Amino acid sequence: MSEEKSLSAVSTYSKDTPVGHPDIDGRAGVFVPTDDFDLANTSTIRKGAGIVGFGNPDGSLTVYFEANRFDESSLHKWENKARKAYDRMVMRAPTVSKAKIDARMLEQVGIIDGMGISIKQPERLQQWLALSNALDTAPEGAVVQWKK
């Protein structure tokens, strides 16, 4: 007989999180780390990263991220980092900037697709960028469009 898990022991993403790998122009979630994510001791997601991804059937998240580790000028703004991670994801490009992660470690703050980014929780994104000492990279508004 299987052992019952308490609700707090179950990790899963929100009902608004897109499930399954998106195709080109498809929808994906935009995420920021929660307090459960150990930023001080991680070797994966760096401060200020644009993090995008989707839910898996097992309740985990697959995320792609970009933190501009090589200080490329075109990736200074947060939305450009998120876009780069999104493009890598939908093109299924080989990358080390990808992880399967426990859904408790990330909080969804918006949606990204081929048209742009819609931030549903701009205050959480601002907190993430402030913690990262990267407020100057924040988007000007809750909606970022790249196709008119």
Side-chain angles (χ1 to χ4, degrees), residues 5 7 13 28 35 38 45 60-61 66 71 91 101 109-110 117 138:
K5 292 183 179 181
L7 193 53
Y13 45 83
D35 291 338
D38 186 3
I45 300 173
S60 67
L61 296 168
E66 176 59 55
D71 226 9
M91 297 304 289
I101 194 165
V109 297
I117 304 170

Side-chain angles (χ1 to χ4, degrees), residues 79-147:
E79 62 258 34
N80 294 342
K81 294 174 196 167
R83 172 71 188 262
K84 174 106 177 190
Y86 173 80
D87 287 346
R88 205 181 281 134
M89 175 180 58
V90 298
M91 297 304 289
R92 299 177 191 255
T95 182
V96 296
S97 299
K98 173 184 175 184
K100 184 174 177 182
I101 194 165
D102 186 318
R104 286 180 287 221
M105 301 298 158
L106 299 173
E107 176 181 0
Q108 185 176 346
V109 297
I111 293 288
I112 187 170
D113 62 21
M115 301 297 282
I117 304 170
S118 177
I119 305 296
K120 308 269 193 238
Q121 296 183 56
E123 67 288 342
R124 284 291 293 125
L125 177 58
Q126 293 286 331
Q127 288 172 354
W128 166 235
L129 295 175
L131 172 73
S132 304
N133 196 24
L135 269 176
D136 66 319
T137 71
E140 292 179 17
V143 175
V144 176
Q145 291 185 311
W146 42 69
K147 284 188 182 178

